Structure formats: structure tokens, C-alpha cells
Amino acid sequence: MAIKQDPTHPGRFIASYGKRHPITRQTHSLRRVGITSKAEAKRIHSDLVVLVNDRIREKLVPTWEATIEGLSTNQRARSLSEKTIEDYALSLRAHTLPTWKGRLIDSINTEEIRTLIQVRLADRHPNTRRNLHKFIRSAFECAVERGDLQRNPSPRLSFRAPYKIKGVL
């Protein structure tokens, strides 16, 4: 909002920034006092703008863990079997939580998904990678349906089985 001279301490500055949440209209603001120069106050003010915007974004956009839970809820509403729901959640937690735990879903991009599937799971069978890709795509589709994301960041990937056994005799 402003950079002002501190009235109680001459030669010092106060930097503050506030913004309303777009849905709840609740104010989020930060303030720093005792800044020694105007240039430093400007730098701190720009940092405050980023911090307040991040704080508001955290309230709007769910984390990856919440998205997995939302997928399970959505699948129950669609009357999928409990075994299917458990398989989706278990696979997503096992393969993605070490990397994406605590991340907001709008910060996960296409390249990160591609890297996870093709590089980190390179030693796995193509069917395992295909299934994980299907599960991730499903989780992001659920987030798009709920309005948490504008588009699904899942890449288009193709998987080939290494070989097929034709016949024995």
C-alpha cells in the first residue's frame, strides 16, 4: 500500500501492503517497520506484495494432498468401487507425494509430470507408468471440474511394452 516515514523514529521508514481476498473479501496485510533507507523500503515493499499474493493464493488453490482427497471424494460420488479408489490414492501417494508434498496444484507443470513419469519411474514397467499417468491426469481433471485449475497440465505420453511373447510352441 505505502512506504511512509516512521513518525516515532525520524529517518526510518514503514513499508506495508494489503489486499482483499477475491472471494471472502477478507483483508490480508503485512507491515515492516524500522527500515533504514527508502531504497530498502521499496525492496521490502515489493517483497511484501509477493508474500501477500502468495498468502491469498494459498487460500484459493488446494495442495496436491487435498487434490488427491478431492479425487477420492469425486470417485465415490461417481460410484466407483472402493478398491479402484484405494488403488488411485495409494499409487498417487506412493509415487508423487515424495516430490509434490505441500505443493499447490497450480505450481505443478507439464514438464514436472513428464519428468516424474519418464525419468524417476524409468525402471518401472511401462504399464505402471501408464497407470500413474492415468491417475495423475484423473486427479488434475477433477481439479479442473471443481474450478481449482483452468487447464489440465498432464502431458500426452505414449508407452510401449518392451516386448511381447508371441508363442511358445
Side-chain angles (χ1 to χ4, degrees), residues 25-44:
R25 306 304 296 166
Q26 183 181 5
T27 304
H28 294 274
S29 61
L30 291 174
R31 180 179 162 172
R32 302 288 185 262
V33 296
I35 304 167
T36 56
S37 69
K38 186 148 185 139
E40 185 181 359
K42 286 181 181 179
R43 185 184 55 76
I44 289 175

Side-chain angles (χ1 to χ4, degrees), residues 84-135:
T84 301
I85 296 168
E86 181 185 341
D87 288 346
Y88 271 67
L90 186 66
S91 182
L92 285 171
R93 284 189 187 103
H95 294 294
T96 62
L97 278 188
T99 308
W100 297 341
K101 186 172 186 168
R103 298 257 319 260
L104 299 178
I105 58 170
D106 66 347
S107 69
I108 300 170
N109 61 32
T110 304
E111 194 55 39
E112 287 177 297
I113 297 169
R114 183 178 286 116
T115 302
L116 174 76
I117 293 170
Q118 291 182 336
V119 176
R120 286 198 55 230
L121 298 177
D123 59 333
R124 303 292 178 135
H125 194 274
N127 290 343
T128 303
R129 292 187 286 147
R130 180 184 300 123
N131 282 335
L132 182 63
H133 181 251
K134 177 177 69 172
F135 299 159

